[in-house]
Every structure is written in C-alpha cells, then in structure tokens.
Amino acid sequence: MRVLESSCGRSALTFGIFDRLKLHISHYNVKYYLENDIYKICQSPCSSCIDSTKCLSCVDNYLFLSDKLQCVKECPEGYYKRDSDKSCKRCNIPCKTCVNESTCLSCITNYYLLEHTCFDKCPRGYYIYKDICKKCSDNCLNCLNEGDYCIEC
C-alpha cells in the first residue's frame, strides 16, 4: 500500500492498485509523483513532475525548459521563448542569444553578427567591429578596421 502525502501531512488515503513504477496520477487536478512508496504532490511551479526537482509541465506564467526539466519565469541566455507551447528552446549554435531558431541577437566567441546571422568571418565588403560585421565604406570592396581603410577598391 502507498500513502498519499498532502501539504497537511499524511492522509489515510492509500493506493494499492498502482505498481512500483513512478506512475503519475491526477487527483482533483493536482499532480503527484511516487517516492519511497509515497505519492507526493508536485511543488509549484511544476504542474506535473517526475520527482521533487524535475518538472514535466509548468503552471501558468512559467516556461518549460525541457533539456533541464525545469520551469522558469524567463528563458536563460542561449534560449528563446516559444509561445506555441510555452517553452524555452535552445538557440542554434553559433547564436549566443536569439529571438527564435533562425534570428540571432549575438554570437558565441569567434563568430560575428551580420543581419541576425552569425559567421566565423565577415564576408567580403565587411569588417569586424566589436563582434559584429560592419559594412565597408561605399567606395571599398574590402576593408580593415574602421571600414575606411580600403584594401580593395
């Protein structure tokens, strides 16, 4: 037999029909997990969980961070918010920060941002300036430093 633990302590309610797997049950819309033959209530911000620290879904106003099984208020650096399923998804490498899977805001080390895309080197007609690719002066086909030092006209 298994005892259901509530926030008020242990209840006399027992479950004898469930096997020893970590079976997730719903009782009055409250989610539980099995630990040492005792069903325990998932703690907020988890709305369903595997154990006391790993969430499977989140309460309203939280986002699900699937690769860490956590619920968070905001997506951490390296992730973007996906509204369709209220989750945080990892930015594609080499993006360091992004707004979606194809729009970078900044790049990882040794990559440079140009029009929301990260490059390992700036394309011809651009130069590196503080981790971004900036356009050379109008009369330069290729340049260095501040864009007005032409190496090809």
PDB file of all heavy atoms in Angstrom, residues 35-71:
ATOM      1  N   GLU A  35       7.504   8.462  -4.497  1.00  0.00           N
ATOM      2  CA  GLU A  35       8.819   8.439  -3.863  1.00  0.00           C
ATOM      3  C   GLU A  35       8.741   7.556  -2.625  1.00  0.00           C
ATOM      4  O   GLU A  35       7.962   7.831  -1.711  1.00  0.00           O
ATOM      5  CB  GLU A  35       9.244   9.849  -3.475  1.00  0.00           C
ATOM      6  CG  GLU A  35      10.648   9.914  -2.861  1.00  0.00           C
ATOM      7  CD  GLU A  35      11.024  11.342  -2.518  1.00  0.00           C
ATOM      8  OE1 GLU A  35      11.438  12.073  -3.431  1.00  0.00           O
ATOM      9  OE2 GLU A  35      10.892  11.699  -1.326  1.00  0.00           O
ATOM     10  N   ASN A  36       9.527   6.505  -2.596  1.00  0.00           N
ATOM     11  CA  ASN A  36       9.547   5.572  -1.458  1.00  0.00           C
ATOM     12  C   ASN A  36       8.148   5.102  -1.088  1.00  0.00           C
ATOM     13  O   ASN A  36       7.749   5.115   0.068  1.00  0.00           O
ATOM     14  CB  ASN A  36      10.227   6.208  -0.241  1.00  0.00           C
ATOM     15  CG  ASN A  36      11.666   6.568  -0.499  1.00  0.00           C
ATOM     16  OD1 ASN A  36      12.370   5.851  -1.207  1.00  0.00           O
ATOM     17  ND2 ASN A  36      12.108   7.688   0.033  1.00  0.00           N
ATOM     18  N   ASP A  37       7.398   4.658  -2.112  1.00  0.00           N
ATOM     19  CA  ASP A  37       6.034   4.145  -1.925  1.00  0.00           C
ATOM     20  C   ASP A  37       5.052   5.178  -1.392  1.00  0.00           C
ATOM     21  O   ASP A  37       3.998   4.829  -0.877  1.00  0.00           O
ATOM     22  CB  ASP A  37       6.020   2.898  -1.033  1.00  0.00           C
ATOM     23  CG  ASP A  37       6.594   1.687  -1.731  1.00  0.00           C
ATOM     24  OD1 ASP A  37       6.623   1.690  -2.978  1.00  0.00           O
ATOM     25  OD2 ASP A  37       6.992   0.735  -1.055  1.00  0.00           O
ATOM     26  N   ILE A  38       5.408   6.466  -1.490  1.00  0.00           N
ATOM     27  CA  ILE A  38       4.516   7.534  -1.035  1.00  0.00           C
ATOM     28  C   ILE A  38       4.279   8.470  -2.214  1.00  0.00           C
ATOM     29  O   ILE A  38       5.214   8.898  -2.884  1.00  0.00           O
ATOM     30  CB  ILE A  38       5.132   8.324   0.142  1.00  0.00           C
ATOM     31  CG1 ILE A  38       5.330   7.411   1.344  1.00  0.00           C
ATOM     32  CG2 ILE A  38       4.253   9.514   0.507  1.00  0.00           C
ATOM     33  CD1 ILE A  38       6.103   8.061   2.476  1.00  0.00           C
ATOM     34  N   TYR A  39       3.015   8.778  -2.471  1.00  0.00           N
ATOM     35  CA  TYR A  39       2.686   9.757  -3.501  1.00  0.00           C
ATOM     36  C   TYR A  39       2.802  11.143  -2.899  1.00  0.00           C
ATOM     37  O   TYR A  39       2.179  11.451  -1.906  1.00  0.00           O
ATOM     38  CB  TYR A  39       1.272   9.526  -4.048  1.00  0.00           C
ATOM     39  CG  TYR A  39       1.230   8.359  -4.987  1.00  0.00           C
ATOM     40  CD1 TYR A  39       0.824   7.115  -4.552  1.00  0.00           C
ATOM     41  CD2 TYR A  39       1.639   8.503  -6.307  1.00  0.00           C
ATOM     42  CE1 TYR A  39       0.809   6.026  -5.408  1.00  0.00           C
ATOM     43  CE2 TYR A  39       1.628   7.426  -7.164  1.00  0.00           C
ATOM     44  CZ  TYR A  39       1.214   6.190  -6.714  1.00  0.00           C
ATOM     45  OH  TYR A  39       1.213   5.128  -7.569  1.00  0.00           O
ATOM     46  N   LYS A  40       3.633  11.969  -3.544  1.00  0.00           N
ATOM     47  CA  LYS A  40       3.854  13.332  -3.067  1.00  0.00           C
ATOM     48  C   LYS A  40       3.359  14.315  -4.121  1.00  0.00           C
ATOM     49  O   LYS A  40       3.428  14.043  -5.311  1.00  0.00           O
ATOM     50  CB  LYS A  40       5.330  13.566  -2.763  1.00  0.00           C
ATOM     51  CG  LYS A  40       5.829  12.685  -1.618  1.00  0.00           C
ATOM     52  CD  LYS A  40       7.224  13.056  -1.224  1.00  0.00           C
ATOM     53  CE  LYS A  40       7.632  12.252  -0.002  1.00  0.00           C
ATOM     54  NZ  LYS A  40       8.941  12.674   0.492  1.00  0.00           N
ATOM     55  N   ILE A  41       2.903  15.459  -3.675  1.00  0.00           N
ATOM     56  CA  ILE A  41       2.391  16.487  -4.567  1.00  0.00           C
ATOM     57  C   ILE A  41       3.545  17.219  -5.234  1.00  0.00           C
ATOM     58  O   ILE A  41       4.511  17.609  -4.572  1.00  0.00           O
ATOM     59  CB  ILE A  41       1.517  17.492  -3.785  1.00  0.00           C
ATOM     60  CG1 ILE A  41       0.298  16.784  -3.208  1.00  0.00           C
ATOM     61  CG2 ILE A  41       1.098  18.649  -4.669  1.00  0.00           C
ATOM     62  CD1 ILE A  41      -0.528  17.661  -2.286  1.00  0.00           C
ATOM     63  N   CYS A  42       3.438  17.418  -6.549  1.00  0.00           N
ATOM     64  CA  CYS A  42       4.421  18.221  -7.266  1.00  0.00           C
ATOM     65  C   CYS A  42       4.350  19.648  -6.737  1.00  0.00           C
ATOM     66  O   CYS A  42       3.274  20.189  -6.516  1.00  0.00           O
ATOM     67  CB  CYS A  42       4.120  18.236  -8.760  1.00  0.00           C
ATOM     68  SG  CYS A  42       4.272  16.630  -9.551  1.00  0.00           S
ATOM     69  N   GLN A  43       5.507  20.237  -6.531  1.00  0.00           N
ATOM     70  CA  GLN A  43       5.568  21.590  -5.995  1.00  0.00           C
ATOM     71  C   GLN A  43       5.590  22.607  -7.130  1.00  0.00           C
ATOM     72  O   GLN A  43       6.207  22.389  -8.168  1.00  0.00           O
ATOM     73  CB  GLN A  43       6.822  21.760  -5.118  1.00  0.00           C
ATOM     74  CG  GLN A  43       6.840  20.835  -3.908  1.00  0.00           C
ATOM     75  CD  GLN A  43       5.674  21.095  -2.972  1.00  0.00           C
ATOM     76  OE1 GLN A  43       5.440  22.225  -2.569  1.00  0.00           O
ATOM     77  NE2 GLN A  43       4.934  20.050  -2.633  1.00  0.00           N
ATOM     78  N   SER A  44       4.929  23.724  -6.910  1.00  0.00           N
ATOM     79  CA  SER A  44       4.914  24.812  -7.880  1.00  0.00           C
ATOM     80  C   SER A  44       6.354  25.305  -8.074  1.00  0.00           C
ATOM     81  O   SER A  44       7.122  25.304  -7.112  1.00  0.00           O
ATOM     82  CB  SER A  44       4.039  25.948  -7.352  1.00  0.00           C
ATOM     83  OG  SER A  44       3.906  26.940  -8.318  1.00  0.00           O
ATOM     84  N   PRO A  45       6.769  25.617  -9.262  1.00  0.00           N
ATOM     85  CA  PRO A  45       5.981  25.897 -10.449  1.00  0.00           C
ATOM     86  C   PRO A  45       5.691  24.682 -11.338  1.00  0.00           C
ATOM     87  O   PRO A  45       5.171  24.843 -12.435  1.00  0.00           O
ATOM     88  CB  PRO A  45       6.822  26.925 -11.188  1.00  0.00           C
ATOM     89  CG  PRO A  45       8.223  26.555 -10.854  1.00  0.00           C
ATOM     90  CD  PRO A  45       8.170  26.038  -9.440  1.00  0.00           C
ATOM     91  N   CYS A  46       6.002  23.471 -10.884  1.00  0.00           N
ATOM     92  CA  CYS A  46       5.671  22.280 -11.678  1.00  0.00           C
ATOM     93  C   CYS A  46       4.169  22.005 -11.579  1.00  0.00           C
ATOM     94  O   CYS A  46       3.605  22.042 -10.500  1.00  0.00           O
ATOM     95  CB  CYS A  46       6.401  21.047 -11.145  1.00  0.00           C
ATOM     96  SG  CYS A  46       8.186  21.115 -11.225  1.00  0.00           S
ATOM     97  N   SER A  47       3.547  21.713 -12.706  1.00  0.00           N
ATOM     98  CA  SER A  47       2.157  21.258 -12.640  1.00  0.00           C
ATOM     99  C   SER A  47       2.112  19.742 -12.753  1.00  0.00           C
ATOM    100  O   SER A  47       1.168  19.116 -12.306  1.00  0.00           O
ATOM    101  CB  SER A  47       1.300  21.913 -13.720  1.00  0.00           C
ATOM    102  OG  SER A  47       1.750  21.567 -14.995  1.00  0.00           O
ATOM    103  N   SER A  48       3.145  19.148 -13.328  1.00  0.00           N
ATOM    104  CA  SER A  48       3.350  17.700 -13.267  1.00  0.00           C
ATOM    105  C   SER A  48       4.858  17.490 -13.188  1.00  0.00           C
ATOM    106  O   SER A  48       5.636  18.334 -13.615  1.00  0.00           O
ATOM    107  CB  SER A  48       2.744  16.995 -14.476  1.00  0.00           C
ATOM    108  OG  SER A  48       3.361  17.393 -15.660  1.00  0.00           O
ATOM    109  N   CYS A  49       5.258  16.370 -12.595  1.00  0.00           N
ATOM    110  CA  CYS A  49       6.684  16.181 -12.336  1.00  0.00           C
ATOM    111  C   CYS A  49       7.070  14.716 -12.297  1.00  0.00           C
ATOM    112  O   CYS A  49       6.216  13.837 -12.176  1.00  0.00           O
ATOM    113  CB  CYS A  49       7.065  16.867 -11.030  1.00  0.00           C
ATOM    114  SG  CYS A  49       6.196  16.236  -9.585  1.00  0.00           S
ATOM    115  N   ILE A  50       8.372  14.478 -12.349  1.00  0.00           N
ATOM    116  CA  ILE A  50       8.939  13.139 -12.218  1.00  0.00           C
ATOM    117  C   ILE A  50       9.338  12.897 -10.767  1.00  0.00           C
ATOM    118  O   ILE A  50       9.163  11.827 -10.232  1.00  0.00           O
ATOM    119  CB  ILE A  50      10.180  12.983 -13.121  1.00  0.00           C
ATOM    120  CG1 ILE A  50       9.769  13.084 -14.583  1.00  0.00           C
ATOM    121  CG2 ILE A  50      10.887  11.669 -12.850  1.00  0.00           C
ATOM    122  CD1 ILE A  50      10.934  13.136 -15.543  1.00  0.00           C
ATOM    123  N   ASP A  51       9.900  13.930 -10.146  1.00  0.00           N
ATOM    124  CA  ASP A  51      10.287  13.868  -8.738  1.00  0.00           C
ATOM    125  C   ASP A  51      10.240  15.288  -8.171  1.00  0.00           C
ATOM    126  O   ASP A  51       9.686  16.184  -8.789  1.00  0.00           O
ATOM    127  CB  ASP A  51      11.668  13.200  -8.567  1.00  0.00           C
ATOM    128  CG  ASP A  51      12.798  13.909  -9.281  1.00  0.00           C
ATOM    129  OD1 ASP A  51      12.734  15.145  -9.443  1.00  0.00           O
ATOM    130  OD2 ASP A  51      13.768  13.238  -9.665  1.00  0.00           O
ATOM    131  N   SER A  52      10.854  15.487  -7.023  1.00  0.00           N
ATOM    132  CA  SER A  52      10.749  16.790  -6.348  1.00  0.00           C
ATOM    133  C   SER A  52      11.492  17.918  -7.071  1.00  0.00           C
ATOM    134  O   SER A  52      11.255  19.088  -6.791  1.00  0.00           O
ATOM    135  CB  SER A  52      11.258  16.680  -4.909  1.00  0.00           C
ATOM    136  OG  SER A  52      12.631  16.337  -4.909  1.00  0.00           O
ATOM    137  N   THR A  53      12.378  17.586  -8.012  1.00  0.00           N
ATOM    138  CA  THR A  53      13.155  18.628  -8.692  1.00  0.00           C
ATOM    139  C   THR A  53      12.988  18.649 -10.205  1.00  0.00           C
ATOM    140  O   THR A  53      13.460  19.569 -10.852  1.00  0.00           O
ATOM    141  CB  THR A  53      14.659  18.475  -8.380  1.00  0.00           C
ATOM    142  OG1 THR A  53      15.096  17.195  -8.863  1.00  0.00           O
ATOM    143  CG2 THR A  53      14.936  18.598  -6.892  1.00  0.00           C
ATOM    144  N   LYS A  54      12.325  17.660 -10.797  1.00  0.00           N
ATOM    145  CA  LYS A  54      12.205  17.570 -12.258  1.00  0.00           C
ATOM    146  C   LYS A  54      10.754  17.699 -12.699  1.00  0.00           C
ATOM    147  O   LYS A  54       9.923  16.866 -12.383  1.00  0.00           O
ATOM    148  CB  LYS A  54      12.796  16.259 -12.750  1.00  0.00           C
ATOM    149  CG  LYS A  54      14.287  16.164 -12.535  1.00  0.00           C
ATOM    150  CD  LYS A  54      14.835  14.869 -13.106  1.00  0.00           C
ATOM    151  CE  LYS A  54      16.294  14.756 -12.830  1.00  0.00           C
ATOM    152  NZ  LYS A  54      16.581  13.873 -11.724  1.00  0.00           N
ATOM    153  N   CYS A  55      10.494  18.768 -13.467  1.00  0.00           N
ATOM    154  CA  CYS A  55       9.136  19.044 -13.951  1.00  0.00           C
ATOM    155  C   CYS A  55       8.900  18.415 -15.326  1.00  0.00           C
ATOM    156  O   CYS A  55       9.828  18.225 -16.098  1.00  0.00           O
ATOM    157  CB  CYS A  55       8.931  20.545 -14.079  1.00  0.00           C
ATOM    158  SG  CYS A  55       9.172  21.458 -12.552  1.00  0.00           S
ATOM    159  N   LEU A  56       7.634  18.121 -15.602  1.00  0.00           N
ATOM    160  CA  LEU A  56       7.204  17.685 -16.928  1.00  0.00           C
ATOM    161  C   LEU A  56       6.326  18.736 -17.593  1.00  0.00           C
ATOM    162  O   LEU A  56       6.197  18.765 -18.809  1.00  0.00           O
ATOM    163  CB  LEU A  56       6.441  16.362 -16.835  1.00  0.00           C
ATOM    164  CG  LEU A  56       7.264  15.160 -16.398  1.00  0.00           C
ATOM    165  CD1 LEU A  56       6.374  13.956 -16.188  1.00  0.00           C
ATOM    166  CD2 LEU A  56       8.334  14.850 -17.428  1.00  0.00           C
ATOM    167  N   SER A  57       5.718  19.589 -16.786  1.00  0.00           N
ATOM    168  CA  SER A  57       4.921  20.707 -17.280  1.00  0.00           C
ATOM    169  C   SER A  57       4.882  21.768 -16.183  1.00  0.00           C
ATOM    170  O   SER A  57       5.209  21.490 -15.026  1.00  0.00           O
ATOM    171  CB  SER A  57       3.518  20.257 -17.668  1.00  0.00           C
ATOM    172  OG  SER A  57       2.844  19.728 -16.557  1.00  0.00           O
ATOM    173  N   CYS A  58       4.464  22.976 -16.575  1.00  0.00           N
ATOM    174  CA  CYS A  58       4.534  24.118 -15.659  1.00  0.00           C
ATOM    175  C   CYS A  58       3.172  24.770 -15.452  1.00  0.00           C
ATOM    176  O   CYS A  58       2.301  24.687 -16.317  1.00  0.00           O
ATOM    177  CB  CYS A  58       5.501  25.170 -16.204  1.00  0.00           C
ATOM    178  SG  CYS A  58       7.138  24.517 -16.588  1.00  0.00           S
ATOM    179  N   VAL A  59       3.042  25.445 -14.322  1.00  0.00           N
ATOM    180  CA  VAL A  59       1.843  26.226 -14.049  1.00  0.00           C
ATOM    181  C   VAL A  59       1.848  27.464 -14.951  1.00  0.00           C
ATOM    182  O   VAL A  59       2.856  27.790 -15.574  1.00  0.00           O
ATOM    183  CB  VAL A  59       1.760  26.638 -12.552  1.00  0.00           C
ATOM    184  CG1 VAL A  59       1.665  25.413 -11.658  1.00  0.00           C
ATOM    185  CG2 VAL A  59       2.930  27.503 -12.155  1.00  0.00           C
ATOM    186  N   ASP A  60       0.708  28.144 -15.013  1.00  0.00           N
ATOM    187  CA  ASP A  60       0.598  29.359 -15.831  1.00  0.00           C
ATOM    188  C   ASP A  60       1.681  30.369 -15.459  1.00  0.00           C
ATOM    189  O   ASP A  60       2.120  30.428 -14.318  1.00  0.00           O
ATOM    190  CB  ASP A  60      -0.771  30.008 -15.642  1.00  0.00           C
ATOM    191  CG  ASP A  60      -1.874  29.212 -16.322  1.00  0.00           C
ATOM    192  OD1 ASP A  60      -1.554  28.377 -17.193  1.00  0.00           O
ATOM    193  OD2 ASP A  60      -3.042  29.424 -15.980  1.00  0.00           O
ATOM    194  N   ASN A  61       2.097  31.149 -16.440  1.00  0.00           N
ATOM    195  CA  ASN A  61       3.104  32.200 -16.297  1.00  0.00           C
ATOM    196  C   ASN A  61       4.519  31.676 -16.107  1.00  0.00           C
ATOM    197  O   ASN A  61       5.411  32.431 -15.740  1.00  0.00           O
ATOM    198  CB  ASN A  61       2.744  33.181 -15.183  1.00  0.00           C
ATOM    199  CG  ASN A  61       1.415  33.856 -15.443  1.00  0.00           C
ATOM    200  OD1 ASN A  61       1.125  34.246 -16.568  1.00  0.00           O
ATOM    201  ND2 ASN A  61       0.602  33.969 -14.415  1.00  0.00           N
ATOM    202  N   TYR A  62       4.738  30.372 -16.318  1.00  0.00           N
ATOM    203  CA  TYR A  62       6.078  29.789 -16.305  1.00  0.00           C
ATOM    204  C   TYR A  62       6.330  29.125 -17.644  1.00  0.00           C
ATOM    205  O   TYR A  62       5.403  28.715 -18.339  1.00  0.00           O
ATOM    206  CB  TYR A  62       6.239  28.759 -15.179  1.00  0.00           C
ATOM    207  CG  TYR A  62       6.535  29.391 -13.846  1.00  0.00           C
ATOM    208  CD1 TYR A  62       5.515  29.890 -13.058  1.00  0.00           C
ATOM    209  CD2 TYR A  62       7.844  29.504 -13.392  1.00  0.00           C
ATOM    210  CE1 TYR A  62       5.784  30.482 -11.835  1.00  0.00           C
ATOM    211  CE2 TYR A  62       8.121  30.097 -12.163  1.00  0.00           C
ATOM    212  CZ  TYR A  62       7.087  30.580 -11.396  1.00  0.00           C
ATOM    213  OH  TYR A  62       7.362  31.171 -10.193  1.00  0.00           O
ATOM    214  N   LEU A  63       7.596  29.022 -17.996  1.00  0.00           N
ATOM    215  CA  LEU A  63       8.013  28.414 -19.253  1.00  0.00           C
ATOM    216  C   LEU A  63       8.757  27.121 -18.951  1.00  0.00           C
ATOM    217  O   LEU A  63       9.520  27.047 -17.992  1.00  0.00           O
ATOM    218  CB  LEU A  63       8.930  29.369 -20.020  1.00  0.00           C
ATOM    219  CG  LEU A  63       8.323  30.727 -20.341  1.00  0.00           C
ATOM    220  CD1 LEU A  63       9.414  31.702 -20.764  1.00  0.00           C
ATOM    221  CD2 LEU A  63       7.272  30.594 -21.414  1.00  0.00           C
ATOM    222  N   PHE A  64       8.557  26.107 -19.790  1.00  0.00           N
ATOM    223  CA  PHE A  64       9.188  24.810 -19.590  1.00  0.00           C
ATOM    224  C   PHE A  64      10.538  24.776 -20.288  1.00  0.00           C
ATOM    225  O   PHE A  64      10.650  25.025 -21.480  1.00  0.00           O
ATOM    226  CB  PHE A  64       8.283  23.702 -20.125  1.00  0.00           C
ATOM    227  CG  PHE A  64       8.806  22.325 -19.873  1.00  0.00           C
ATOM    228  CD1 PHE A  64       9.127  21.914 -18.592  1.00  0.00           C
ATOM    229  CD2 PHE A  64       8.969  21.440 -20.913  1.00  0.00           C
ATOM    230  CE1 PHE A  64       9.609  20.632 -18.352  1.00  0.00           C
ATOM    231  CE2 PHE A  64       9.445  20.159 -20.686  1.00  0.00           C
ATOM    232  CZ  PHE A  64       9.761  19.749 -19.404  1.00  0.00           C
ATOM    233  N   LEU A  65      11.588  24.482 -19.525  1.00  0.00           N
ATOM    234  CA  LEU A  65      12.953  24.340 -20.027  1.00  0.00           C
ATOM    235  C   LEU A  65      13.210  22.837 -20.125  1.00  0.00           C
ATOM    236  O   LEU A  65      13.649  22.206 -19.170  1.00  0.00           O
ATOM    237  CB  LEU A  65      13.910  25.036 -19.056  1.00  0.00           C
ATOM    238  CG  LEU A  65      15.346  25.249 -19.451  1.00  0.00           C
ATOM    239  CD1 LEU A  65      15.460  26.032 -20.752  1.00  0.00           C
ATOM    240  CD2 LEU A  65      16.082  25.990 -18.355  1.00  0.00           C
ATOM    241  N   SER A  66      12.894  22.258 -21.283  1.00  0.00           N
ATOM    242  CA  SER A  66      12.822  20.803 -21.426  1.00  0.00           C
ATOM    243  C   SER A  66      14.145  20.074 -21.206  1.00  0.00           C
ATOM    244  O   SER A  66      14.154  19.002 -20.618  1.00  0.00           O
ATOM    245  CB  SER A  66      12.246  20.416 -22.783  1.00  0.00           C
ATOM    246  OG  SER A  66      13.062  20.891 -23.821  1.00  0.00           O
ATOM    247  N   ASP A  67      15.263  20.638 -21.655  1.00  0.00           N
ATOM    248  CA  ASP A  67      16.525  19.906 -21.501  1.00  0.00           C
ATOM    249  C   ASP A  67      17.022  19.892 -20.055  1.00  0.00           C
ATOM    250  O   ASP A  67      17.912  19.132 -19.709  1.00  0.00           O
ATOM    251  CB  ASP A  67      17.602  20.390 -22.466  1.00  0.00           C
ATOM    252  CG  ASP A  67      17.938  21.858 -22.343  1.00  0.00           C
ATOM    253  OD1 ASP A  67      17.167  22.614 -21.724  1.00  0.00           O
ATOM    254  OD2 ASP A  67      18.980  22.257 -22.885  1.00  0.00           O
ATOM    255  N   LYS A  68      16.417  20.707 -19.182  1.00  0.00           N
ATOM    256  CA  LYS A  68      16.774  20.703 -17.762  1.00  0.00           C
ATOM    257  C   LYS A  68      15.607  20.279 -16.887  1.00  0.00           C
ATOM    258  O   LYS A  68      15.743  20.204 -15.660  1.00  0.00           O
ATOM    259  CB  LYS A  68      17.269  22.086 -17.342  1.00  0.00           C
ATOM    260  CG  LYS A  68      18.542  22.465 -18.071  1.00  0.00           C
ATOM    261  CD  LYS A  68      19.136  23.733 -17.571  1.00  0.00           C
ATOM    262  CE  LYS A  68      20.388  24.011 -18.380  1.00  0.00           C
ATOM    263  NZ  LYS A  68      21.208  25.031 -17.822  1.00  0.00           N
ATOM    264  N   LEU A  69      14.446  20.012 -17.504  1.00  0.00           N
ATOM    265  CA  LEU A  69      13.231  19.621 -16.784  1.00  0.00           C
ATOM    266  C   LEU A  69      12.906  20.608 -15.660  1.00  0.00           C
ATOM    267  O   LEU A  69      12.663  20.227 -14.526  1.00  0.00           O
ATOM    268  CB  LEU A  69      13.348  18.188 -16.237  1.00  0.00           C
ATOM    269  CG  LEU A  69      13.502  17.094 -17.290  1.00  0.00           C
ATOM    270  CD1 LEU A  69      13.729  15.740 -16.636  1.00  0.00           C
ATOM    271  CD2 LEU A  69      12.302  17.037 -18.220  1.00  0.00           C
ATOM    272  N   GLN A  70      12.915  21.904 -16.017  1.00  0.00           N
ATOM    273  CA  GLN A  70      12.645  22.968 -15.046  1.00  0.00           C
ATOM    274  C   GLN A  70      11.581  23.912 -15.584  1.00  0.00           C
ATOM    275  O   GLN A  70      11.377  24.022 -16.792  1.00  0.00           O
ATOM    276  CB  GLN A  70      13.907  23.792 -14.785  1.00  0.00           C
ATOM    277  CG  GLN A  70      15.016  23.059 -14.112  1.00  0.00           C
ATOM    278  CD  GLN A  70      16.258  23.933 -13.974  1.00  0.00           C
ATOM    279  OE1 GLN A  70      16.455  24.900 -14.710  1.00  0.00           O
ATOM    280  NE2 GLN A  70      17.105  23.588 -13.030  1.00  0.00           N
ATOM    281  N   CYS A  71      10.965  24.637 -14.671  1.00  0.00           N
ATOM    282  CA  CYS A  71      10.034  25.709 -15.014  1.00  0.00           C
ATOM    283  C   CYS A  71      10.685  27.023 -14.620  1.00  0.00           C
ATOM    284  O   CYS A  71      11.192  27.152 -13.505  1.00  0.00           O
ATOM    285  CB  CYS A  71       8.716  25.527 -14.266  1.00  0.00           C
ATOM    286  SG  CYS A  71       7.829  24.028 -14.746  1.00  0.00           S
TER     287      CYS A  71
END
